[in-house]
Amino acid sequence: MEDVENGIHGTHESEVTKPLIQQRELAKVEESSSDGQGFLWMVLLSTGVAVCGSFEFGSCIGYSAPTQAGITKDIGLSLSQYSIFASILTIGGMFGAVTSGHLADYIGRIGVISKIFLIHQISRFNYVYNLLILFPFCLMQTMRISAVVCIIGWLAIYFAKDTFLLCLGRLFTGYGIGVLSYVVPVFIAEIAPKNLRGGLTSLNQLLLVGGNSVAFIIGTLVSWRTMVLVGVLPCLVLLLGLVFIPESPRWLAKVDHQKEFISALQKLRGKDADITQEAAEIQECIENLQTLPRAGFQDLFQSRYIRSVIVSVGLMVFQQTGGINGVGFYASQIFVSAGFSSGNLGTILMGCIQVPITIVGAILMDRSGRIPLLMVSASGSSIGCFITGISFYLKGQGIYMDWLPTLALSGILVYLGSYSIGMGAVPWVMMSEIFPLNIKGVGGSLVTLVSWFGSWAVSYAFNFLMSWSSAGTFFLFSAAGAATLLFVARVVPETKGDSLEEIQESLNSSK
C-alpha cells in the first residue's frame, strides 16, 4: 500500500521527497539572499486587488448596524422583519459557500480557464449540476461574477420600496461575499512567499474590518440608500483590478497548465528571480496529490484529512459562537439598550478601533505566530463580553445606573478590539493553509459553510436572546471565548514560517 503524502512507496523512499527535504535549507538561504523588492510589487498588487473583495465583505456585514432606524422607518419593518433582512445576508453567504470551492477549483481563483479544461470538467458532472452551478460561471471569472452579483444586490436595495426587494438584494450580496470569503484568503495564501503569507493573508481581515468600519462611520452620517455606494465602489475596483493580476500558480499547476503556471509564478517572484526550487516543490506536491482519487465530501473524514477539518471547522465555530455577528449587525440597538440616547457614538468608536488593531494583528501574524494571537484574542473577547454582561445585569438590578452605559461601551470595545487582533483573521488564514490542494475546494466549502451557518444562527437569534436576557446573552458569548482558549491550546497547530507543503506534511505525519 502506498502512503503518498508521507513520501513512502511500498518499502522505498520516494525519489522526489528526499531531494525536497534536502533542498529546503538551501531554499531558505536562497530566499534570504534574493532581492525581495524585485517581486514584491506584483504580490502586493495582486493582494491589493483581491482584498477589495474583503472590503466588500466588511461593508455588507456593517451595513445593517447604522441603518436600522432609517430602514425600519422608511420601509415600515417590524423588529422581526428587520432581523430577517439583516440575517438573510448569511443565507446568501451559505449558498455562496457551497459553490465557492467548486468555482475556485474548476474556474480558478480569478478565472483563467481553457476551453479544453472546461469541457473536460463539464463532462464529469451531471446535467443539473452543470446547469445550476458550473455553466453560469464558466464564461466569467470567480471573483468577477461575485462582484457583479454584489452590485446587483446593492442596486436592488437602493431601489427597494418594500420588504421583498430589500431582502432579495441582501440575499444577492450575501451570495457574492460568500464566494469571496473563501476565494480571497485562498488566493492570497497561494501567491504569497511563505515568510510573508501570514501577514498578507491577514490583510483579508484588515480590509474586511476596514469595510466594516467605513460602513459604521459613514452610515451614521448619510441615508441608508446613499450607503449603497460604499458597497458598490469596491466591486468596481475589483472588476478593474482583475485585469492586471496573474492566476494562482498552484491552481494552474493543479490543472496542468504548465506554461501558464511558470509564467504566473515568474510574474509574482520577479522576471530575474530563480523559481526553479519553488516550482519543483509545488509540482512535486501536485504530482503526489494527483495519485490520490478525486476528493469528495466524504473524503474529508479520512484519517489523513480529519485533523485539518477539526482545526479549521472548530476555529470557525468558536469564531461565530463568540457573537461577533450579533454585535456587528445590531451594534446601534445594543448601545441604546445599554442606556445611550442613540447608537451613533458607539458605532463610530467601533469603526475607529477595528482597523488599527487589525493592523497590529497583521504585523504580529508572522512574528509572534498564530497561536499566541488566538490565545490573546479569545481571552480578551471573553473578558469584554463578561464586562458587557455585568453592565446589563447591574442595569436589571437598578444599580450604578449612571455608570452602566460607559461600562457596556467599554466591554464592547474590549471585545471588538480583542476579536480584531486574532479571532477575526487567524481562522481564515489557517483555513487557507492547512488543506492540501486536492481537498482544498471541498474542505474550504465546508469551512465557509460552517462559518456562514454560524453567522446566520447568531445574527437571527440575537434579538430574541436579548429579549430573553441581555446579560445572559453576553455571558454565553463570554463562555464561548473561554472554550476557545481550551480548543486552541489542545488542538490548533502553529503554522508560522512553514510553506503550505510543509504544513500539510506536518499535519499528515501527526495523524
Side-chain angles (χ1 to χ4, degrees), residues 364-380:
L364 294 176
M365 185 77 69
D366 286 315
R367 297 185 180 183
S368 65
R370 283 58 158 162
I371 301 299
L373 285 181
L374 286 172
M375 299 290 281
V376 170
S377 180
S379 300

Side-chain angles (χ1 to χ4, degrees), residues 366-447:
D366 286 315
R367 297 185 180 183
S368 65
R370 283 58 158 162
I371 301 299
L373 285 181
L374 286 172
M375 299 290 281
V376 170
S377 180
S379 300
S381 297
S382 181
I383 292 170
C385 284
F386 188 79
I387 292 171
T388 307
I390 288 293
S391 72
F392 280 110
Y393 174 79
L394 294 177
K395 181 182 179 183
Q397 302 301 312
I399 304 174
Y400 304 118
M401 297 297 291
D402 293 340
W403 293 93
L404 296 186
T406 302
L407 184 64
L409 175 61
S410 300
I412 292 294
L413 294 180
V414 169
Y415 165 75
L416 189 63
S418 300
Y419 174 88
S420 297
I421 203 170
M423 282 303 294
V426 176
W428 294 104
V429 171
M430 298 200 72
M431 181 273 291
S432 69
E433 293 176 327
I434 64 178
F435 284 114
L437 276 173
N438 70 310
I439 203 78
K440 185 170 284 188
V442 64
S445 289
L446 172 64
V447 173

Side-chain angles (χ1 to χ4, degrees), residues 7 48 67 91 220 222 239 325 341 354 457:
T67 58
I91 302 294
T220 63
V222 301
L239 288 172
N325 282 295
S341 59
Q354 285 189 96

Side-chain angles (χ1 to χ4, degrees), residues 250-426:
R250 284 178 169 86
W251 180 81
L252 291 168
K254 179 185 175 184
V255 299
D256 201 27
H257 290 340
Q258 290 300 314
K259 182 178 179 181
E260 292 86 349
F261 159 57
I262 296 299
S263 175
L265 188 60
Q266 194 74 67
K267 282 183 179 180
L268 290 165
R269 300 297 178 257
K271 64 178 181 179
D272 298 324
D274 182 3
I275 61 170
T276 305
Q277 169 63 28
E278 185 176 4
E281 184 173 333
I282 293 172
Q283 196 64 54
E284 179 199 340
C285 181
I286 297 294
E287 290 171 357
N288 285 344
L289 291 174
Q290 286 177 343
T291 63
L292 301 173
R294 181 176 170 270
F297 179 79
Q298 68 279 3
D299 296 316
L300 287 172
F301 304 99
Q302 295 179 9
S303 60
R304 65 168 64 94
Y305 304 129
I306 193 63
R307 191 179 179 202
S308 297
V309 173
I310 291 172
V311 170
S312 53
V313 170
L315 285 174
M316 289 301 179
V317 168
F318 285 114
Q319 182 192 65
Q320 296 303 324
T321 55
I324 185 61
N325 282 295
V327 174
F329 281 25
Y330 306 107
S332 182
Q333 176 190 331
I334 293 171
F335 293 125
V336 171
S337 299
F340 287 97
S341 59
S342 76
N344 289 350
L345 174 62
T347 54
I348 290 174
L349 290 176
M350 287 174 64
C352 290
I353 70 166
Q354 285 189 96
V355 172
I357 294 179
T358 304
I359 291 174
V360 173
I363 294 171
L364 294 176
M365 185 77 69
D366 286 315
R367 297 185 180 183
S368 65
R370 283 58 158 162
I371 301 299
L373 285 181
L374 286 172
M375 299 290 281
V376 170
S377 180
S379 300
S381 297
S382 181
I383 292 170
C385 284
F386 188 79
I387 292 171
T388 307
I390 288 293
S391 72
F392 280 110
Y393 174 79
L394 294 177
K395 181 182 179 183
Q397 302 301 312
I399 304 174
Y400 304 118
M401 297 297 291
D402 293 340
W403 293 93
L404 296 186
T406 302
L407 184 64
L409 175 61
S410 300
I412 292 294
L413 294 180
V414 169
Y415 165 75
L416 189 63
S418 300
Y419 174 88
S420 297
I421 203 170
M423 282 303 294
V426 176

